[in-house]
């Protein structure tokens, strides 16, 4: 039972726990509906503590007994935890609780998935396992004994000993409870080893359900690559004798960095050419790296409190993007990251869910694992590195690891090492952590007396989260080109600190062409009437070259939507020229064929004071694709043919790039040949990238039925592939059919709505289908709301995350707004709505 009025937690209220936890011993007797957990914990009162309240978190626990130094005690129990009188000298706390993993559908704490036991404790799941000070600044060593009939019994750290029906693990590294993990099941290990730069041998294992053995090799290689990369680039070696990864089918997130025992959503680790697309492979490589990198940025150095989440997540996202850039193509990775930032973080920062990278209050912490904390958090670190330079960044990071190893830290600690390593004052830069909203950067140019001057004005729209925004420190990477496209000034980093600021470049005998915000050096909305056509043809900065094409496409689409104009011929020709340039990386050329997303277009219209019409937006994008197909009609067959890979499948950057370009060509070609090429590709495909692309094109061409049936027959027993089958039908549906398609799929016998992957594949795909979700009759809104209401009591975390589909509701016309308001109110008035969903709906509705 929850309180009627949810409590708000404030950063400003932080107080340390009054006790040190010296060691934790846990014993689990596993049983699906009645698992017994015995805890023996050594507490020492802190001599300097101001608050000695002995409060242990605990939720959904049945306390069977509690003792202090062997004497039975009767703690005072509430739905949130217990308090108890305790000695003023060190003492041993023992508790015995019973929990019900089989009834745990929220997938937080100890639960069951496909017959195995597993845990998810971040952020506050450990309190559903036993009574404990469940806060990240309380760190301890853990010794865990597991009793259970399962062949595989795992926990954090190193295996101490084991026998038939039991195993004992010890983790020597002090850690917060959110990094605790336990797994028990009938699992198969895919094993390997890694020798650290210090010469220590580490046993690696990837545990999967029987049948999935053939999907382990790629993940294992990604793990070894990550371990090596972190040694080479950050000087960080692994620190235990074993590193285990477990794949589970039911998981709310992508993966979790538990110390020495990472737990992964099966979709984020299992891979094979037949069942996974190139994009899946790339994502798996990145997630494995991300969770592994947390071993230093998150585990060895953790967060003082959950307001500091970006300390580990922003930094680790930044590190995993550096890794992907090194393993694959840096410009391609940068472009994809910016597409993602604009698609997920900008809407959040520009709507009712806006919050600073370091929020100052929350009701449910699970709602703050956001694109702002993660992706903007990573951008802030990228800006810091740009400002101080790579050498100083490295010095600061070395100092960070040196100074704070074993500690639970804050953003202040993080910025302090940069100040100490560089002598810079970062007080203004720190606003990036405390101020919400996407800054707008408008630029004007002036040229006289051989001097070219750029004047920048920065403005962050005020919001409820930040009503009085102040100027930020914005690193703007700028280069200058001459009329022939030669670079006349290499990239320079301009440091904006004022609301308005000019920079003059002398000695230019002709007016240069400016390339501004190269490599997207700051997460801002740039407003500059650049010479996009020239930059698309010549910019030496690959990001800005792509960005120029994107800007032309955006301008053309906005004009089509608002004025009914035809697609911009200069844009079409510019793109055609780039696509014909065989010296350019195929992956990069494939990105050049991409168009701004429809919700990005809606956001741009909204920014200009227009009301986006989702159907008109959809039609403008269709018309643009048609125009691209016509412009490139003589090139497409060759482009398609030249990018067919004949070598054995490899998920590497080179082959994936070719397939990406080949399939980008295919989607235009399908408009010309009605799907004949796609049909042939479907018939001959030997990997999922080719099979799925062919299927998508057949659906778009209106001839997908046979292939969909064939695909289902082929893959009905593979859950991860069937998720694609569910998702694709929704995402490729015509706007008017999207909700009906999703609804029909919810009646499919394999629609297991309690599985987050399947729920997201179906309803999440609808939420992301811009014109389908916003269908004029409100059917998209109603269907999503129906299912959110149904899922909430079962899995509040996944429900709450999906509420963000409604975050942009104020952008649209009055009719759509009232349809959405009606659904928001319907969700809000559902009896016993979770704290998670209540917070999300309230914030969104109050826009
Ligand atoms: N620590 C998180 C997992 C997590 C998130 C646990 C929210 C509890 C609540 C993990 O490191 C993470 O960030 N995972 C991401 C993937 C990553 C590549 C950004 C995820 O699960 O989406
Ligand atoms: Zn993370």
């Amino acid at each position: 039972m929850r309180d009627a009025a949810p409590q708000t937690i404030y950063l400003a209220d932080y107080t340390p726990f009054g006790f040190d936890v010296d060691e934790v011993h846990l014993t689990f007797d596993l049983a699906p509906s009645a698992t017994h957990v015995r805890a023996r914990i050594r507490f020492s009162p802190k001599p300097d503590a101001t608050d000695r309240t002995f409060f242990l978190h605990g939720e959904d626990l049945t306390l069977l007994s509690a003792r202090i130094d062997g004497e039975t005690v009767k703690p005072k129990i509430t739905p949130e935890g217990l308090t108890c009188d305790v000695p003023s000298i060190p003492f041993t706390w023992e508790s015995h609780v019973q929990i019900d993993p089989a009834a745990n559908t929220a997938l937080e704490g100890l639960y069951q998935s496909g017959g195995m036991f597993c845990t998810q404790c971040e952020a506050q799941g450990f309190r559903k396992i036993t009574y404990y000070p469940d806060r990240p600044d309380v760190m301890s060593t853990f010794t865990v004994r597991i009793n259970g009939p399962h062949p595989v019994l795992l926990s954090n750290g190193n295996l101490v000993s084991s026998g038939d029906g039991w195993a004992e693990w010890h983790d020597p590294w002090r850690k917060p409870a959110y990094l605790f993990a336990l797994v028990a099941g009938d699992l198969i290990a895919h094993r390997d080893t890694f020798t650290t730069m210090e010469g220590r041998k580490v046993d690696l294992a990837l545990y999967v359900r029987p049948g999935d053995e053939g999907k382990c090799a790629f993940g294992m290689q990604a793990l070894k690559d990550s371990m090596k990369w972190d040694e080479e680039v950050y000087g960080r070696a692994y620190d235990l004798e074993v590193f285990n990864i477990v794949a589970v089918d039911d998981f709310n997130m992508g993966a979790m960095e538990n110390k020495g025992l990472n737990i992964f959503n099966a979709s984020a680790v299992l891979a094979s050419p037949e069942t996974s697309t190139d994009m899946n492979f790339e994502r798996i490589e990145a997630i494995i790296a991300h969770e592994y990198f947390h071993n230093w940025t998150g585990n060895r150095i953790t967060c003082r409190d959950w307001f500091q989440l970006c300390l580990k997540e922003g930094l680790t996202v930044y590190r995993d993007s550096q890794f992907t850039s090194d393993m694959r193509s840096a410009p391609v990775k940068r472009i994809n990251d910016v597409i993602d930032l604009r698609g997920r973080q900008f809407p959040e920062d520009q709507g009712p869910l806006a919050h600073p990278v370091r929020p100052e209050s929350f009701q449910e912490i699970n709602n703050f694992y956001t694109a702002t904390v993660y992706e903007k958090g990573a951008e802030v670190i990228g800006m810091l590195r740009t400002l101080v330079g790579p050498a100083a960044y490295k010095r600061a990071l070395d100092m960070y690891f040196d100074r704070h190893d074993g500690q639970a830290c804050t953003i202040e600690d993080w910025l302090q090492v940069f100040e100490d390593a560089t002598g810079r004052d970062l007080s203004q830069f720190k606003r990036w952590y405390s101020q919400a909203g996407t800054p707008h950067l408008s630029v004007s140019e002036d040229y006289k007396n051989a001097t070219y001057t750029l004047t920048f004005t920065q403005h962050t729209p005020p919001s409820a989260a930040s009503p009085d925004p102040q100027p930020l420190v914005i690193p703007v990477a700028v280069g200058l080109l001459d009329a022939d496209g030669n670079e006349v000034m290499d990239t320079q980093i301009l440091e904006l600190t004022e609301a308005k600021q000019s920079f003059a470049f002398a000695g230019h005998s002709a007016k240069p062409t400016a390339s501004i915000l190269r490599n997207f050096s700051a997460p801002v909305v740039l407003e500059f009437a650049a010479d996009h056509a020239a930059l698309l043809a010549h910019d030496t900065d690959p990001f800005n070259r792509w960005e120029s094409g994107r800007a032309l496409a955006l301008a053309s689409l906005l004009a089509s939507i608002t004025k009914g104009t035809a697609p911009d011929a200069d844009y079409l020709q510019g793109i055609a020229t780039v696509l014909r340039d065989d010296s350019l990386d195929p992956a990069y050329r494939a990105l050049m064929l991409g168009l701004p997303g429809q919700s990005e277009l809606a956001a741009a219209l909204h920014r200009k004071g227009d009301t986006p019409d989702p159907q008109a937006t959809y039609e403008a994008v269709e018309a643009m694709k048609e125009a691209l197909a016509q412009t490139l009609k003589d090139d497409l067959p060759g482009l398609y043919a030249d990018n067919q890979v004949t070598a054995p499948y490899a998920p590497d950057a080179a082959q994936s790039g070719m397939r990406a370009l080949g399939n980008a060509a295919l989607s235009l070609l399908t408009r010309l040949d009605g799907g004949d090429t796609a049909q042939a590709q479907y018939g001959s495909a030997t990997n999922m990238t080719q099979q799925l692309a062919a299927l998508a094109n057949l659906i778009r061409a209106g001839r997908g039925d046979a292939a969909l049936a064939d695909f289902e027959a082929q893959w009905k027993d593979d859950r991860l592939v069937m998720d694609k089958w569910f998702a694709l039908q929704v995402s490729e549906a015509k706007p008017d059919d999207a909700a009906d398609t999703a609804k029909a799929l919810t009646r499919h016998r394999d629609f297991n709505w309690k599985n987050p992957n399947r729920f997201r594949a179906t309803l999440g795909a609808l939420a992301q289908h811009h014109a389908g979700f916003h269908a004029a009759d409100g059917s998209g809104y109603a269907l999503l709301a129906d299912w959110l209401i149904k899922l909430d009591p079962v899995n509040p975390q996944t429900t709450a995350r999906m509420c963000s589909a409604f975050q942009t509701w104020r952008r649209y016309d009055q009719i759509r707004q009232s349809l959405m308001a009606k659904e928001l109110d319907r969700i809000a008035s559902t009896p016993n709505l979770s704290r998670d969903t209540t917070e999300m709906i309230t914030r969104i509705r109050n826009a």
Side-chain angles (χ1 to χ4, degrees):
M1 275 297 111
R2 291 223 151 94
D3 292 354
Q7 224 193 315
T8 301
I9 320 282
Y10 295 93
L11 167 59
D13 290 345
Y14 172 81
T15 45
F17 188 53
F19 303 81
D20 285 319
V21 178
D22 306 319
E23 49 184 37
V24 177
H25 290 258
L26 301 172
T27 302
F28 288 81
D29 289 291
L30 296 172
S33 302
T35 287
H36 287 249
V37 185
R38 289 175 181 82
R40 183 160 45 85
I41 306 170
R42 187 78 187 158
F43 286 100
S44 301
K46 286 182 189 163
D48 52 349
T50 49
D51 182 357
R52 287 273 186 76
T53 314
F54 186 74
F55 173 74
L56 303 182
H57 296 100
E59 286 176 17
D60 306 331
L61 306 173
T62 305
L63 182 64
L64 301 177
S65 70
R67 282 181 295 184
I68 290 179
D69 291 333
E71 301 285 331
T72 297
V73 291
K74 291 267 168 273
K76 193 179 303 143
I77 296 182
T78 69
E80 286 80 39
L82 62 76
T83 49
C84 193
D85 292 333
V86 297
S88 51
I89 54 170
F91 61 91
T92 299
W93 160 267
E94 289 171 279
S95 70
H96 176 187
V97 303
Q98 183 178 318
I99 54 179
D100 185 354
N104 182 352
T105 56
L107 315 181
E108 196 183 44
L110 179 66
Y111 65 95
Q112 290 200 285
S113 173
M116 73 169 113
F117 285 89
C118 64
T119 55
Q120 171 55 40
C121 292
E122 189 179 2
Q124 299 179 334
F126 191 73
R127 61 190 63 181
K128 296 180 168 186
I129 293 174
T130 193
Y131 285 101
Y132 195 75
D134 187 7
R135 38 186 292 170
D137 59 345
V138 172
M139 300 170 79
S140 182
T141 59
F142 283 66
T143 306
V144 178
R145 162 126 185 170
I146 314 170
N147 300 317
H150 315 84
V152 172
L153 299 169
L154 306 172
S155 190
N156 314 90
N158 300 317
L159 183 65
V160 180
S161 52
S162 63
D164 202 16
W166 65 276
E168 190 171 309
W169 292 82
H170 175 70
D171 183 357
W173 298 102
R174 295 173 68 241
K175 67 166 178 290
Y178 83 84
L179 292 172
F180 169 82
L182 177 154
V183 169
D186 184 2
L187 302 169
I188 314 271
H190 176 98
R191 296 186 189 278
D192 208 326
T193 61
F194 181 84
T195 303
T196 68
M197 60 184 181
E198 294 146 355
R200 282 179 296 100
K201 185 168 150 262
V202 183
D203 287 316
L204 312 176
L206 171 47
Y207 287 90
V208 299
R209 287 173 55 177
D212 287 335
E213 302 90 320
K215 296 183 176 180
C216 296
F218 180 79
M220 183 58 80
Q221 187 59 46
L223 174 61
K224 292 191 289 179
D225 291 343
S226 307
M227 296 177 87
K228 186 129 194 63
W229 187 92
D230 214 16
E231 291 186 345
E232 287 176 357
V233 180
Y234 279 83
R236 299 292 120 200
Y238 187 61
D239 55 6
L240 288 166
E241 293 156 24
V242 298
F243 188 83
N244 289 321
I245 294 179
V246 180
V248 305
D249 288 334
D250 300 279
F251 201 74
N252 283 331
M253 301 292 292
M256 177 63 207
E257 70 265 25
N258 317 298
K259 183 78 188 190
L261 178 53
N262 288 3
I263 297 183
F264 272 62
N265 187 320
S267 74
V269 56
L270 300 182
S272 75
E274 296 73 32
T275 59
S276 314
T277 63
D278 291 331
M279 271 159 62
N280 294 151
F281 278 100
E282 182 170 338
R283 173 166 177 267
I284 287 167
E285 184 178 84
I287 299 195
I288 288 184
H290 178 98
E291 307 310 338
Y292 175 73
F293 295 159
H294 269 315
N295 192 57
W296 275 94
T297 52
N299 301 4
R300 288 284 287 259
I301 303 179
T302 194
C303 303
R304 187 194 72 173
D305 54 73
W306 291 117
F307 296 102
Q308 322 293 329
L309 184 58
C310 64
L311 180 74
K312 74 177 179 81
E313 294 301 348
L315 177 54
T316 306
V317 170
Y318 182 68
R319 275 153 50 72
D320 82 54
S321 69
Q322 288 182 303
F323 170 77
T324 299
S325 304
D326 285 356
M327 299 289 290
R328 292 164 181 263
S329 150
V332 168
K333 172 63 175 164
R334 187 64 187 140
I335 292 166
N336 281 320
D337 280 353
V338 173
I339 291 172
D340 183 63
L341 190 77
R342 287 183 175 142
R344 298 192 304 118
Q345 200 276 325
F346 280 20
E348 186 168 273
D349 225 355
Q350 296 163 14
L353 299 178
H355 55 276
V357 169
R358 181 171 70 177
E360 269 143 37
S361 70
F362 61 75
Q363 289 172 5
E364 172 51 60
I365 182 58
N366 282 326
N367 291 335
F368 283 85
Y369 285 76
T370 60
T372 298
V373 169
Y374 275 66
E375 273 71 37
K376 190 175 179 182
E379 290 297 320
V380 171
I381 290 170
M383 287 190 285
L384 200 48
R385 185 171 186 271
T386 301
L387 287 168
V388 304
Y393 176 82
K394 190 161 184 348
R395 281 203 310 279
L397 267 285
D398 287 343
M399 198 183 277
Y400 180 64
F401 294 122
D402 220 49
R403 190 181 283 180
H404 295 297
D405 188 11
Q407 298 178 2
C409 293
T410 61
I411 289 304
E412 283 73 17
D413 296 324
W414 164 254
L415 289 175
Q416 190 64 51
V417 296
F418 279 85
E419 293 201 332
D420 292 351
T422 65
R424 257 175 191 262
D425 174 2
L426 292 172
S427 45
Q428 188 186 355
F429 184 81
K430 194 179 174 189
R431 284 181 192 151
W432 279 109
Y433 286 99
S434 59
Q435 186 167 297
T438 313
H440 290 213
L441 190 59
S442 35
V443 190
S444 61
E445 54 181 357
D446 181 57
Y447 176 70
K448 54 173 164 306
N449 304 329
T451 296
Y452 181 68
T453 303
L454 289 169
T455 300
F456 295 84
T457 311
Q458 56 163 307
H459 167 74
T460 303
S463 62
S466 296
D468 184 23
Q470 300 297 307
L472 296 160
V473 181
I474 305 181
V476 183
V478 173
L480 300 176
L481 307 177
D482 69 14
D484 301 324
N486 302 308
E487 187 133 299
V488 291
M489 185 187 85
D490 286 350
T491 305
Q492 291 196 3
I493 306 299
L494 310 180
E495 253 182 76
L496 264 59
T497 54
E498 313 287 327
K500 186 169 182 185
Q501 215 168 339
S502 296
F503 296 85
F505 308 94
H508 292 282
S509 53
K511 179 176 175 273
T513 300
S515 169
I516 297 179
L517 208 69
R518 283 184 158 179
N519 205 36
F520 205 65
S521 59
V524 301
V525 174
L526 180 65
E527 289 152 1
F528 175 50
D531 186 347
H532 292 303
L535 295 172
L536 173 58
H538 302 297
D539 203 335
T540 53
D541 180 69
F543 176 84
N544 258 11
R545 192 172 181 190
W546 169 83
E547 178 80 325
S548 299
R550 193 77 162 193
L552 291 172
L554 186 70
S556 173
L557 286 162
L558 294 179
S560 305
I561 295 165
T562 54
K563 295 183 219 125
T565 52
D568 174 11
D570 286 348
Y571 162 71
L572 296 168
Q573 284 315 319
I575 289 292
T577 306
V578 171
L579 280 169
R580 287 170 192 141
D581 183 350
D582 288 335
S583 71
L584 294 171
D585 176 9
Y588 182 72
R589 282 187 280 157
L591 285 170
M592 280 284 186
L593 272 181
L595 294 172
Q598 290 169 45
S599 68
E600 193 180 327
L601 287 163
L605 288 163
H606 178 69
R607 240 190 331 266
K608 299 196 320 159
D610 289 326
T611 302
D613 173 348
Q615 183 62 28
T617 304
Y618 173 83
E619 283 163 15
V621 171
E622 285 297 299
M624 181 66 100
K625 289 180 179 166
E626 197 60 41
L628 280 167
Q630 291 302 334
T631 306
L632 289 164
K633 72 171 176 301
D634 296 335
D635 301 280
L636 290 172
L639 210 48
Y640 179 76
D642 292 348
N643 287 287
Q644 299 306 307
V645 177
T646 49
Y649 180 90
D652 58 22
Q655 280 198 14
S656 332
M658 285 178 70
R659 281 186 288 270
L661 183 53
N663 286 327
L666 176 65
S667 72
L668 296 178
L669 208 47
T670 298
R671 293 174 177 273
L672 306 175
D673 72 4
D676 292 348
T677 308
Q679 189 70 62
Q681 178 167 317
Y682 187 84
S684 64
T686 55
N687 61 68
M688 185 49 67
T689 307
Q690 296 300 89
Q691 190 178 11
L692 203 67
L695 181 59
N697 279 288
L698 289 171
I699 298 173
R700 262 177 250 149
R703 49 193 272 202
D705 289 353
L708 277 168
D710 173 85
F711 191 98
E712 184 185 11
Q714 184 183 356
W715 295 116
K716 60 181 184 319
D717 297 325
D718 188 306
R719 273 185 291 279
L720 296 176
V721 179
M722 283 304 284
D723 286 334
K724 302 181 200 306
W725 183 85
F726 275 83
L728 192 70
Q729 292 180 71
V730 179
S731 54
E732 295 302 340
K734 300 273 185 284
D736 285 344
D737 300 334
D740 282 349
T741 303
K743 188 181 246 177
L745 286 168
T746 63
R747 298 183 177 134
H748 190 283
R749 73 187 127 73
D750 291 329
F751 181 69
N752 170 11
W753 58 277
K754 294 184 182 176
N755 174 264
N757 289 357
R758 190 57 52 88
F759 190 92
R760 279 189 288 259
T762 312
L763 281 317
L766 175 64
Q768 275 158 36
H769 189 309
H770 183 255
F773 179 60
H774 292 287
D777 62 359
S779 53
Y781 309 145
L783 185 67
L784 186 65
D786 286 347
W787 280 97
L788 294 178
I789 289 167
K790 182 160 172 173
L791 187 65
D792 186 64
V794 166
N795 186 334
Q797 203 181 320
T798 290
T799 308
R801 290 186 82 78
M802 220 178 270
C803 291
S804 60
F806 289 103
Q807 71 179 320
T808 55
W809 70 289
R810 285 291 192 196
R811 281 181 192 164
Y812 297 92
D813 54 82
Q814 283 308 319
I815 297 174
R816 285 189 174 83
Q817 282 196 34
S818 56
L819 287 167
M820 282 188 269
K822 191 180 103 194
E823 300 305 336
L824 288 167
D825 291 342
R826 186 158 69 92
I827 300 171
S829 61
T830 304
N832 300 318
L833 197 69
S834 68
R835 171 173 59 203
D836 312 53
T837 304
T838 304
E839 182 184 28
M840 292 295 281
I841 297 290
T842 311
R843 286 163 67 206
I844 293 170
R845 183 67 172 90
N846 288 345

